[in-house]
Amino acid sequence: MGVDYTQLHDPNAEYTMRDLSAETMNVTRERGGGRDIEITDVQTTMVDGNFPWTLVRIYTDAGIVGTGEAYWGAGAPELIERMTPFLQGENPLDIDRLTEHLVQKMSGEGSIGGVTVTAISGIEVALHDLAGKILEVPAYQLLGGKYRDEVRVYCDCHTEDEADPIACADEAERVVDDLGYDALKFDLDVPSGHEKDRANRHLRAPEIEHKASIVEAITERVGSRADVAFDCHWTFSGGSAKRLAKRLEEYDVWWLEDPVPPENHDVQRAVTQSTTTPITVGENVYRKHGQRRLLEEQAVDIIAPDMPKVGGMRETRKIADLADMYYVPVAMHNVASPVATMASAHVGAAISNSLAVEYHSYELGWWEDLVEEDVIEDGYIEIPEKPGLGVSLDMDAVEEHMIDGEELFD
């Protein structure tokens, strides 16, 4: 018999003001028009994709179900189970209040960052799908309407030999010519054979030249047919990141992503302001509060929140609005299944400063089988006009690809 996470309690939350429930806030007025609906249950199923995706479903007394997704990894299903009693009996249309209600109720368990925010994000995405279905409008309409009918997708690319510049260039050409993408990303935190000590974050001159050779090979091969970004995964020291970014200034780099660890904003700002190579950061920072300093201190050229990790669809919209005050575009990081990928696309349609949404599963042949609809075509996602997110889970495919020991939704 496993732990019943719904029965855990927080003594602080029981006697403090961290409660924004409908009962506490006296949100009891009848709404009419089929909008008096209550949440009855929340369930999760984890799918074994190229990342372990946590799919979320919210059930109601009206028989309408909303589907969402939390950022991959351990802990989110247990936290979502823990929060289920806070949602039962609530009206799912109150997305903002319910999200803040969860943040407040879970504040003792770390709702300023980390997997607690991730779990809340998955619920919030499902609430958008559910609210859209109740109101019979697509999710982007809940975010203020749309700027565009389709959202550009950038393909995160890999090869068997990621340290070989020619192999990378060959793959870039294949993805552009055969798969139809005009936006790509490759990794630069790959072994060069010149490392002396991988723990100290320092890049020696031969290592920088090796990374420059990858950038040169790819950008010259695809030319103006595609924009190409390069990811560093928070690997390098401040000084090394500056030298690398300076070295890459002669190439047509769309952006250099996460060149330094995310904790020290002062170093991040110094790196960004030292180079004309565009710097992108944001996937490892939580909620609008975490993104604020990056934007206010002009420590990024492009902001890259991960929607089902950062706080959800409305939170990403708030980050985009803050970024727009500093004329910074938004390129959403995304390693999700088709569910959160489509949710990110809805956000991308609704914000003015959307640049692109990432796709990280082009090597996974069954990625799109998880839903009944087509998602990506010729490097773009067309925003559906169906209610909610506009995608429906294929339960047979979900069951086939579940993590061992997982149970399917009811």
Side-chain angles (χ1 to χ4, degrees), residues 13-59:
E14 292 167 8
Y15 64 76
T16 63
M17 297 299 291
R18 297 203 303 270
D19 191 320
L20 298 177
S21 64
E23 180 181 10
T24 300
M25 301 297 293
N26 293 316
V27 182
T28 58
R29 183 177 300 166
E30 291 188 6
R31 307 183 188 203
R35 293 179 293 127
D36 289 301
I37 294 175
E38 292 186 1
I39 295 171
T40 58
D41 196 14
V42 185
Q43 298 181 16
T44 63
T45 294
M46 188 175 285
V47 172
D48 191 12
N50 54 326
F51 295 86
W53 301 311
T54 297
L55 303 179
V56 184
R57 300 201 97 190
I58 299 179
Y59 299 82

mmCIF file of all heavy atoms in Angstrom, residues 13-59:
data_model
loop_
_atom_site.group_PDB
_atom_site.id
_atom_site.type_symbol
_atom_site.label_atom_id
_atom_site.label_comp_id
_atom_site.label_asym_id
_atom_site.label_seq_id
_atom_site.Cartn_x
_atom_site.Cartn_y
_atom_site.Cartn_z
ATOM 1 N N ALA A 13 -0.169 25.941 7.165
ATOM 2 C CA ALA A 13 -1.216 26.323 6.225
ATOM 3 C C ALA A 13 -2.600 26.206 6.836
ATOM 4 O O ALA A 13 -3.553 26.810 6.356
ATOM 5 C CB ALA A 13 -1.129 25.446 4.980
ATOM 6 N N GLU A 14 -2.721 25.433 7.914
ATOM 7 C CA GLU A 14 -4.027 25.222 8.527
ATOM 8 C C GLU A 14 -4.443 26.370 9.437
ATOM 9 O O GLU A 14 -5.620 26.510 9.742
ATOM 10 C CB GLU A 14 -4.029 23.895 9.290
ATOM 11 C CG GLU A 14 -3.938 22.692 8.342
ATOM 12 C CD GLU A 14 -3.617 21.400 9.052
ATOM 13 O OE1 GLU A 14 -3.606 21.408 10.305
ATOM 14 O OE2 GLU A 14 -3.375 20.387 8.374
ATOM 15 N N TYR A 15 -3.492 27.182 9.897
ATOM 16 C CA TYR A 15 -3.919 28.275 10.786
ATOM 17 C C TYR A 15 -3.439 29.645 10.318
ATOM 18 O O TYR A 15 -3.615 30.645 11.008
ATOM 19 C CB TYR A 15 -3.463 28.030 12.224
ATOM 20 C CG TYR A 15 -1.966 28.007 12.455
ATOM 21 C CD1 TYR A 15 -1.207 29.187 12.492
ATOM 22 C CD2 TYR A 15 -1.304 26.795 12.663
ATOM 23 C CE1 TYR A 15 0.150 29.145 12.712
ATOM 24 C CE2 TYR A 15 0.054 26.759 12.886
ATOM 25 C CZ TYR A 15 0.779 27.929 12.911
ATOM 26 O OH TYR A 15 2.134 27.893 13.141
ATOM 27 N N THR A 16 -2.840 29.723 9.137
ATOM 28 C CA THR A 16 -2.438 31.024 8.603
ATOM 29 C C THR A 16 -3.394 31.435 7.492
ATOM 30 O O THR A 16 -4.378 30.767 7.222
ATOM 31 C CB THR A 16 -0.999 30.978 8.058
ATOM 32 O OG1 THR A 16 -0.942 30.054 6.974
ATOM 33 C CG2 THR A 16 -0.016 30.566 9.137
ATOM 34 N N MET A 17 -3.101 32.534 6.821
ATOM 35 C CA MET A 17 -3.989 33.094 5.803
ATOM 36 C C MET A 17 -3.698 32.562 4.410
ATOM 37 O O MET A 17 -4.193 33.096 3.432
ATOM 38 C CB MET A 17 -3.865 34.627 5.799
ATOM 39 C CG MET A 17 -4.308 35.281 7.098
ATOM 40 S SD MET A 17 -6.037 34.967 7.468
ATOM 41 C CE MET A 17 -6.831 35.926 6.192
ATOM 42 N N ARG A 18 -2.921 31.483 4.299
ATOM 43 C CA ARG A 18 -2.555 30.971 2.985
ATOM 44 C C ARG A 18 -3.661 30.095 2.403
ATOM 45 O O ARG A 18 -3.489 28.913 2.156
ATOM 46 C CB ARG A 18 -1.242 30.205 3.060
ATOM 47 C CG ARG A 18 -0.049 31.070 3.470
ATOM 48 C CD ARG A 18 1.255 30.448 3.003
ATOM 49 N NE ARG A 18 1.452 29.101 3.496
ATOM 50 C CZ ARG A 18 2.056 28.798 4.633
ATOM 51 N NH1 ARG A 18 2.506 29.753 5.414
ATOM 52 N NH2 ARG A 18 2.217 27.547 5.013
ATOM 53 N N ASP A 19 -4.834 30.671 2.229
ATOM 54 C CA ASP A 19 -5.973 29.922 1.720
ATOM 55 C C ASP A 19 -6.818 30.840 0.846
ATOM 56 O O ASP A 19 -7.381 31.813 1.341
ATOM 57 C CB ASP A 19 -6.814 29.373 2.867
ATOM 58 C CG ASP A 19 -7.847 28.361 2.402
ATOM 59 O OD1 ASP A 19 -8.460 28.583 1.340
ATOM 60 O OD2 ASP A 19 -8.049 27.351 3.096
ATOM 61 N N LEU A 20 -6.871 30.544 -0.434
ATOM 62 C CA LEU A 20 -7.662 31.343 -1.367
ATOM 63 C C LEU A 20 -8.793 30.509 -1.960
ATOM 64 O O LEU A 20 -9.237 30.739 -3.082
ATOM 65 C CB LEU A 20 -6.774 31.895 -2.482
ATOM 66 C CG LEU A 20 -5.659 32.844 -2.047
ATOM 67 C CD1 LEU A 20 -4.807 33.249 -3.241
ATOM 68 C CD2 LEU A 20 -6.215 34.072 -1.352
ATOM 69 N N SER A 21 -9.290 29.533 -1.195
ATOM 70 C CA SER A 21 -10.368 28.691 -1.669
ATOM 71 C C SER A 21 -11.633 29.517 -1.883
ATOM 72 O O SER A 21 -11.795 30.614 -1.344
ATOM 73 C CB SER A 21 -10.659 27.574 -0.670
ATOM 74 O OG SER A 21 -11.127 28.125 0.564
ATOM 75 N N ALA A 22 -12.556 28.957 -2.689
ATOM 76 C CA ALA A 22 -13.826 29.646 -2.938
ATOM 77 C C ALA A 22 -14.575 29.897 -1.643
ATOM 78 O O ALA A 22 -15.177 30.952 -1.448
ATOM 79 C CB ALA A 22 -14.670 28.814 -3.903
ATOM 80 N N GLU A 23 -14.522 28.922 -0.744
ATOM 81 C CA GLU A 23 -15.219 29.083 0.536
ATOM 82 C C GLU A 23 -14.633 30.231 1.346
ATOM 83 O O GLU A 23 -15.365 31.079 1.867
ATOM 84 C CB GLU A 23 -15.133 27.774 1.325
ATOM 85 C CG GLU A 23 -15.832 27.830 2.670
ATOM 86 C CD GLU A 23 -15.712 26.526 3.425
ATOM 87 O OE1 GLU A 23 -14.936 25.641 2.996
ATOM 88 O OE2 GLU A 23 -16.379 26.389 4.462
ATOM 89 N N THR A 24 -13.318 30.286 1.441
ATOM 90 C CA THR A 24 -12.667 31.345 2.213
ATOM 91 C C THR A 24 -12.888 32.715 1.579
ATOM 92 O O THR A 24 -13.114 33.707 2.281
ATOM 93 C CB THR A 24 -11.159 31.066 2.318
ATOM 94 O OG1 THR A 24 -10.959 29.809 2.965
ATOM 95 C CG2 THR A 24 -10.455 32.166 3.111
ATOM 96 N N MET A 25 -12.861 32.760 0.246
ATOM 97 C CA MET A 25 -13.002 34.023 -0.466
ATOM 98 C C MET A 25 -14.459 34.387 -0.752
ATOM 99 O O MET A 25 -14.740 35.418 -1.361
ATOM 100 C CB MET A 25 -12.235 33.955 -1.796
ATOM 101 C CG MET A 25 -10.746 33.667 -1.664
ATOM 102 S SD MET A 25 -9.855 34.960 -0.772
ATOM 103 C CE MET A 25 -10.010 36.307 -1.941
ATOM 104 N N ASN A 26 -15.405 33.514 -0.313
ATOM 105 C CA ASN A 26 -16.832 33.743 -0.546
ATOM 106 C C ASN A 26 -17.165 33.856 -2.043
ATOM 107 O O ASN A 26 -17.995 34.671 -2.445
ATOM 108 C CB ASN A 26 -17.326 34.993 0.197
ATOM 109 C CG ASN A 26 -17.294 34.822 1.702
ATOM 110 O OD1 ASN A 26 -17.696 33.764 2.218
ATOM 111 N ND2 ASN A 26 -16.801 35.823 2.407
ATOM 112 N N VAL A 27 -16.489 33.030 -2.842
ATOM 113 C CA VAL A 27 -16.794 32.977 -4.272
ATOM 114 C C VAL A 27 -17.879 31.919 -4.450
ATOM 115 O O VAL A 27 -17.615 30.763 -4.791
ATOM 116 C CB VAL A 27 -15.541 32.644 -5.095
ATOM 117 C CG1 VAL A 27 -15.850 32.644 -6.597
ATOM 118 C CG2 VAL A 27 -14.427 33.636 -4.795
ATOM 119 N N THR A 28 -19.110 32.293 -4.189
ATOM 120 C CA THR A 28 -20.211 31.333 -4.153
ATOM 121 C C THR A 28 -21.368 31.708 -5.067
ATOM 122 O O THR A 28 -22.336 30.959 -5.170
ATOM 123 C CB THR A 28 -20.745 31.209 -2.716
ATOM 124 O OG1 THR A 28 -21.173 32.503 -2.257
ATOM 125 C CG2 THR A 28 -19.666 30.673 -1.781
ATOM 126 N N ARG A 29 -21.325 32.835 -5.720
ATOM 127 C CA ARG A 29 -22.430 33.294 -6.553
ATOM 128 C C ARG A 29 -22.643 32.357 -7.739
ATOM 129 O O ARG A 29 -21.696 31.927 -8.388
ATOM 130 C CB ARG A 29 -22.157 34.709 -7.055
ATOM 131 C CG ARG A 29 -23.288 35.316 -7.895
ATOM 132 C CD ARG A 29 -22.948 36.747 -8.276
ATOM 133 N NE ARG A 29 -22.756 37.575 -7.087
ATOM 134 C CZ ARG A 29 -22.189 38.788 -7.093
ATOM 135 N NH1 ARG A 29 -21.758 39.299 -8.237
ATOM 136 N NH2 ARG A 29 -22.049 39.465 -5.986
ATOM 137 N N GLU A 30 -23.924 32.047 -8.019
ATOM 138 C CA GLU A 30 -24.239 31.231 -9.186
ATOM 139 C C GLU A 30 -23.873 31.976 -10.463
ATOM 140 O O GLU A 30 -24.100 33.171 -10.586
ATOM 141 C CB GLU A 30 -25.730 30.864 -9.190
ATOM 142 C CG GLU A 30 -26.106 29.896 -8.081
ATOM 143 C CD GLU A 30 -27.535 29.412 -8.226
ATOM 144 O OE1 GLU A 30 -28.170 29.753 -9.246
ATOM 145 O OE2 GLU A 30 -28.006 28.694 -7.324
ATOM 146 N N ARG A 31 -23.346 31.247 -11.432
ATOM 147 C CA ARG A 31 -22.840 31.880 -12.648
ATOM 148 C C ARG A 31 -23.779 31.701 -13.835
ATOM 149 O O ARG A 31 -23.858 32.546 -14.697
ATOM 150 C CB ARG A 31 -21.451 31.318 -12.998
ATOM 151 C CG ARG A 31 -20.505 31.420 -11.805
ATOM 152 C CD ARG A 31 -19.107 30.946 -12.123
ATOM 153 N NE ARG A 31 -18.319 30.885 -10.882
ATOM 154 C CZ ARG A 31 -17.006 30.936 -10.831
ATOM 155 N NH1 ARG A 31 -16.307 31.046 -11.942
ATOM 156 N NH2 ARG A 31 -16.380 30.882 -9.674
ATOM 157 N N GLY A 32 -24.445 30.586 -13.908
ATOM 158 C CA GLY A 32 -25.365 30.355 -15.010
ATOM 159 C C GLY A 32 -24.662 30.018 -16.302
ATOM 160 O O GLY A 32 -23.422 29.993 -16.386
ATOM 161 N N GLY A 33 -25.472 29.754 -17.326
ATOM 162 C CA GLY A 33 -24.907 29.476 -18.639
ATOM 163 C C GLY A 33 -24.046 28.248 -18.702
ATOM 164 O O GLY A 33 -23.101 28.177 -19.496
ATOM 165 N N GLY A 34 -24.315 27.271 -17.845
ATOM 166 C CA GLY A 34 -23.518 26.050 -17.835
ATOM 167 C C GLY A 34 -22.155 26.196 -17.211
ATOM 168 O O GLY A 34 -21.293 25.326 -17.389
ATOM 169 N N ARG A 35 -21.947 27.281 -16.461
ATOM 170 C CA ARG A 35 -20.617 27.542 -15.891
ATOM 171 C C ARG A 35 -20.501 27.167 -14.421
ATOM 172 O O ARG A 35 -19.449 27.361 -13.812
ATOM 173 C CB ARG A 35 -20.254 29.014 -16.081
ATOM 174 C CG ARG A 35 -20.044 29.396 -17.551
ATOM 175 C CD ARG A 35 -19.708 30.871 -17.706
ATOM 176 N NE ARG A 35 -20.844 31.709 -17.335
ATOM 177 C CZ ARG A 35 -20.785 32.708 -16.436
ATOM 178 N NH1 ARG A 35 -19.652 32.979 -15.829
ATOM 179 N NH2 ARG A 35 -21.855 33.416 -16.163
ATOM 180 N N ASP A 36 -21.558 26.634 -13.831
ATOM 181 C CA ASP A 36 -21.496 26.185 -12.435
ATOM 182 C C ASP A 36 -21.043 24.731 -12.404
ATOM 183 O O ASP A 36 -21.841 23.796 -12.378
ATOM 184 C CB ASP A 36 -22.854 26.359 -11.760
ATOM 185 C CG ASP A 36 -23.182 27.817 -11.517
ATOM 186 O OD1 ASP A 36 -22.401 28.485 -10.805
ATOM 187 O OD2 ASP A 36 -24.186 28.305 -12.066
ATOM 188 N N ILE A 37 -19.740 24.549 -12.458
ATOM 189 C CA ILE A 37 -19.108 23.235 -12.580
ATOM 190 C C ILE A 37 -18.087 23.074 -11.459
ATOM 191 O O ILE A 37 -17.427 24.040 -11.063
ATOM 192 C CB ILE A 37 -18.437 23.094 -13.964
ATOM 193 C CG1 ILE A 37 -19.503 23.101 -15.068
ATOM 194 C CG2 ILE A 37 -17.581 21.841 -14.051
ATOM 195 C CD1 ILE A 37 -18.939 23.080 -16.467
ATOM 196 N N GLU A 38 -17.964 21.864 -10.945
ATOM 197 C CA GLU A 38 -17.025 21.600 -9.866
ATOM 198 C C GLU A 38 -15.998 20.547 -10.261
ATOM 199 O O GLU A 38 -16.326 19.576 -10.961
ATOM 200 C CB GLU A 38 -17.763 21.129 -8.608
ATOM 201 C CG GLU A 38 -18.625 22.191 -7.963
ATOM 202 C CD GLU A 38 -19.222 21.717 -6.656
ATOM 203 O OE1 GLU A 38 -18.933 20.554 -6.245
ATOM 204 O OE2 GLU A 38 -19.962 22.491 -6.033
ATOM 205 N N ILE A 39 -14.777 20.727 -9.801
ATOM 206 C CA ILE A 39 -13.718 19.731 -9.966
ATOM 207 C C ILE A 39 -13.982 18.576 -9.010
ATOM 208 O O ILE A 39 -14.251 18.790 -7.828
ATOM 209 C CB ILE A 39 -12.341 20.352 -9.698
ATOM 210 C CG1 ILE A 39 -12.019 21.426 -10.758
ATOM 211 C CG2 ILE A 39 -11.250 19.274 -9.685
ATOM 212 C CD1 ILE A 39 -10.772 22.231 -10.442
ATOM 213 N N THR A 40 -13.911 17.361 -9.537
ATOM 214 C CA THR A 40 -14.119 16.181 -8.706
ATOM 215 C C THR A 40 -12.840 15.399 -8.429
ATOM 216 O O THR A 40 -12.713 14.763 -7.390
ATOM 217 C CB THR A 40 -15.139 15.232 -9.365
ATOM 218 O OG1 THR A 40 -14.665 14.861 -10.672
ATOM 219 C CG2 THR A 40 -16.499 15.923 -9.490
ATOM 220 N N ASP A 41 -11.876 15.463 -9.349
ATOM 221 C CA ASP A 41 -10.666 14.662 -9.166
ATOM 222 C C ASP A 41 -9.561 15.182 -10.075
ATOM 223 O O ASP A 41 -9.831 15.849 -11.088
ATOM 224 C CB ASP A 41 -10.942 13.195 -9.487
ATOM 225 C CG ASP A 41 -9.870 12.248 -8.955
ATOM 226 O OD1 ASP A 41 -9.048 12.681 -8.112
ATOM 227 O OD2 ASP A 41 -9.855 11.071 -9.366
ATOM 228 N N VAL A 42 -8.314 14.866 -9.720
ATOM 229 C CA VAL A 42 -7.136 15.147 -10.546
ATOM 230 C C VAL A 42 -6.297 13.881 -10.575
ATOM 231 O O VAL A 42 -6.037 13.281 -9.529
ATOM 232 C CB VAL A 42 -6.303 16.321 -9.992
ATOM 233 C CG1 VAL A 42 -5.152 16.652 -10.944
ATOM 234 C CG2 VAL A 42 -7.167 17.547 -9.746
ATOM 235 N N GLN A 43 -5.882 13.449 -11.751
ATOM 236 C CA GLN A 43 -5.088 12.235 -11.884
ATOM 237 C C GLN A 43 -3.889 12.483 -12.800
ATOM 238 O O GLN A 43 -3.909 13.405 -13.619
ATOM 239 C CB GLN A 43 -5.938 11.088 -12.460
ATOM 240 C CG GLN A 43 -7.105 10.685 -11.587
ATOM 241 C CD GLN A 43 -7.895 9.536 -12.178
ATOM 242 O OE1 GLN A 43 -7.425 8.835 -13.075
ATOM 243 N NE2 GLN A 43 -9.107 9.333 -11.682
ATOM 244 N N THR A 44 -2.885 11.649 -12.653
ATOM 245 C CA THR A 44 -1.688 11.746 -13.493
ATOM 246 C C THR A 44 -1.327 10.374 -14.062
ATOM 247 O O THR A 44 -1.653 9.338 -13.487
ATOM 248 C CB THR A 44 -0.470 12.276 -12.711
ATOM 249 O OG1 THR A 44 -0.135 11.341 -11.671
ATOM 250 C CG2 THR A 44 -0.758 13.640 -12.106
ATOM 251 N N THR A 45 -0.655 10.392 -15.188
ATOM 252 C CA THR A 45 -0.026 9.204 -15.764
ATOM 253 C C THR A 45 1.309 9.637 -16.361
ATOM 254 O O THR A 45 1.368 10.634 -17.072
ATOM 255 C CB THR A 45 -0.905 8.563 -16.855
ATOM 256 O OG1 THR A 45 -2.088 8.046 -16.271
ATOM 257 C CG2 THR A 45 -0.166 7.436 -17.557
ATOM 258 N N MET A 46 2.369 8.904 -16.057
ATOM 259 C CA MET A 46 3.690 9.256 -16.563
ATOM 260 C C MET A 46 4.043 8.397 -17.771
ATOM 261 O O MET A 46 3.952 7.174 -17.724
ATOM 262 C CB MET A 46 4.747 9.096 -15.468
ATOM 263 C CG MET A 46 6.116 9.636 -15.860
ATOM 264 S SD MET A 46 7.328 9.581 -14.508
ATOM 265 C CE MET A 46 6.771 10.955 -13.505
ATOM 266 N N VAL A 47 4.415 9.066 -18.854
ATOM 267 C CA VAL A 47 4.731 8.409 -20.118
ATOM 268 C C VAL A 47 6.251 8.389 -20.315
ATOM 269 O O VAL A 47 6.941 9.388 -20.061
ATOM 270 C CB VAL A 47 4.049 9.145 -21.291
ATOM 271 C CG1 VAL A 47 4.526 8.595 -22.628
ATOM 272 C CG2 VAL A 47 2.524 9.015 -21.171
ATOM 273 N N ASP A 48 6.755 7.271 -20.802
ATOM 274 C CA ASP A 48 8.193 7.081 -20.979
ATOM 275 C C ASP A 48 8.605 7.510 -22.384
ATOM 276 O O ASP A 48 8.830 6.696 -23.277
ATOM 277 C CB ASP A 48 8.543 5.610 -20.742
ATOM 278 C CG ASP A 48 10.034 5.382 -20.635
ATOM 279 O OD1 ASP A 48 10.781 6.365 -20.511
ATOM 280 O OD2 ASP A 48 10.453 4.205 -20.672
ATOM 281 N N GLY A 49 8.697 8.824 -22.592
ATOM 282 C CA GLY A 49 9.163 9.358 -23.864
ATOM 283 C C GLY A 49 10.668 9.517 -23.846
ATOM 284 O O GLY A 49 11.378 8.823 -23.107
ATOM 285 N N ASN A 50 11.204 10.441 -24.655
ATOM 286 C CA ASN A 50 12.638 10.721 -24.509
ATOM 287 C C ASN A 50 12.899 11.468 -23.213
ATOM 288 O O ASN A 50 14.044 11.597 -22.777
ATOM 289 C CB ASN A 50 13.197 11.479 -25.720
ATOM 290 C CG ASN A 50 12.434 12.746 -26.029
ATOM 291 O OD1 ASN A 50 11.224 12.840 -25.850
ATOM 292 N ND2 ASN A 50 13.137 13.750 -26.523
ATOM 293 N N PHE A 51 11.821 11.970 -22.576
ATOM 294 C CA PHE A 51 11.820 12.404 -21.186
ATOM 295 C C PHE A 51 10.601 11.745 -20.525
ATOM 296 O O PHE A 51 9.622 11.431 -21.222
ATOM 297 C CB PHE A 51 11.686 13.927 -21.069
ATOM 298 C CG PHE A 51 12.858 14.685 -21.636
ATOM 299 C CD1 PHE A 51 12.924 15.011 -22.985
ATOM 300 C CD2 PHE A 51 13.899 15.085 -20.820
ATOM 301 C CE1 PHE A 51 13.994 15.694 -23.511
ATOM 302 C CE2 PHE A 51 14.991 15.779 -21.334
ATOM 303 C CZ PHE A 51 15.044 16.089 -22.677
ATOM 304 N N PRO A 52 10.616 11.531 -19.204
ATOM 305 C CA PRO A 52 9.430 10.971 -18.541
ATOM 306 C C PRO A 52 8.372 12.054 -18.328
ATOM 307 O O PRO A 52 8.413 12.804 -17.361
ATOM 308 C CB PRO A 52 9.980 10.437 -17.218
ATOM 309 C CG PRO A 52 11.202 11.242 -16.952
ATOM 310 C CD PRO A 52 11.770 11.617 -18.286
ATOM 311 N N TRP A 53 7.399 12.117 -19.232
ATOM 312 C CA TRP A 53 6.395 13.176 -19.216
ATOM 313 C C TRP A 53 5.270 12.859 -18.238
ATOM 314 O O TRP A 53 4.741 11.751 -18.239
ATOM 315 C CB TRP A 53 5.798 13.359 -20.615
ATOM 316 C CG TRP A 53 6.785 13.705 -21.670
ATOM 317 C CD1 TRP A 53 7.749 14.684 -21.618
ATOM 318 C CD2 TRP A 53 6.916 13.106 -22.964
ATOM 319 N NE1 TRP A 53 8.456 14.724 -22.787
ATOM 320 C CE2 TRP A 53 7.974 13.770 -23.637
ATOM 321 C CE3 TRP A 53 6.244 12.084 -23.625
ATOM 322 C CZ2 TRP A 53 8.369 13.435 -24.923
ATOM 323 C CZ3 TRP A 53 6.635 11.745 -24.914
ATOM 324 C CH2 TRP A 53 7.690 12.410 -25.559
ATOM 325 N N THR A 54 4.876 13.841 -17.424
ATOM 326 C CA THR A 54 3.753 13.684 -16.505
ATOM 327 C C THR A 54 2.514 14.328 -17.115
ATOM 328 O O THR A 54 2.409 15.556 -17.193
ATOM 329 C CB THR A 54 4.060 14.326 -15.140
ATOM 330 O OG1 THR A 54 5.169 13.654 -14.541
ATOM 331 C CG2 THR A 54 2.846 14.211 -14.220
ATOM 332 N N LEU A 55 1.580 13.494 -17.565
ATOM 333 C CA LEU A 55 0.316 13.979 -18.093
ATOM 334 C C LEU A 55 -0.682 14.128 -16.948
ATOM 335 O O LEU A 55 -0.700 13.320 -16.013
ATOM 336 C CB LEU A 55 -0.229 13.018 -19.149
ATOM 337 C CG LEU A 55 0.693 12.745 -20.341
ATOM 338 C CD1 LEU A 55 0.042 11.752 -21.298
ATOM 339 C CD2 LEU A 55 1.052 14.032 -21.072
ATOM 340 N N VAL A 56 -1.505 15.156 -17.018
ATOM 341 C CA VAL A 56 -2.429 15.510 -15.934
ATOM 342 C C VAL A 56 -3.841 15.597 -16.494
ATOM 343 O O VAL A 56 -4.047 16.170 -17.567
ATOM 344 C CB VAL A 56 -2.050 16.874 -15.308
ATOM 345 C CG1 VAL A 56 -2.952 17.192 -14.119
ATOM 346 C CG2 VAL A 56 -0.584 16.898 -14.896
ATOM 347 N N ARG A 57 -4.813 15.041 -15.756
ATOM 348 C CA ARG A 57 -6.212 15.174 -16.160
ATOM 349 C C ARG A 57 -7.048 15.654 -14.975
ATOM 350 O O ARG A 57 -6.909 15.156 -13.853
ATOM 351 C CB ARG A 57 -6.788 13.856 -16.687
ATOM 352 C CG ARG A 57 -6.059 13.311 -17.898
ATOM 353 C CD ARG A 57 -6.930 12.350 -18.679
ATOM 354 N NE ARG A 57 -7.568 13.045 -19.802
ATOM 355 C CZ ARG A 57 -8.532 12.519 -20.546
ATOM 356 N NH1 ARG A 57 -9.018 11.328 -20.261
ATOM 357 N NH2 ARG A 57 -9.030 13.180 -21.568
ATOM 358 N N ILE A 58 -7.898 16.651 -15.246
ATOM 359 C CA ILE A 58 -8.810 17.189 -14.235
ATOM 360 C C ILE A 58 -10.229 16.805 -14.631
ATOM 361 O O ILE A 58 -10.668 17.082 -15.751
ATOM 362 C CB ILE A 58 -8.674 18.717 -14.118
ATOM 363 C CG1 ILE A 58 -7.246 19.089 -13.689
ATOM 364 C CG2 ILE A 58 -9.690 19.278 -13.123
ATOM 365 C CD1 ILE A 58 -7.003 20.578 -13.576
ATOM 366 N N TYR A 59 -10.942 16.183 -13.698
ATOM 367 C CA TYR A 59 -12.299 15.694 -13.934
ATOM 368 C C TYR A 59 -13.309 16.611 -13.243
ATOM 369 O O TYR A 59 -13.002 17.231 -12.215
ATOM 370 C CB TYR A 59 -12.443 14.269 -13.413
ATOM 371 C CG TYR A 59 -11.512 13.291 -14.093
ATOM 372 C CD1 TYR A 59 -10.175 13.166 -13.698
ATOM 373 C CD2 TYR A 59 -11.952 12.499 -15.137
ATOM 374 C CE1 TYR A 59 -9.316 12.278 -14.322
ATOM 375 C CE2 TYR A 59 -11.100 11.598 -15.777
ATOM 376 C CZ TYR A 59 -9.785 11.501 -15.358
ATOM 377 O OH TYR A 59 -8.946 10.617 -15.993
#
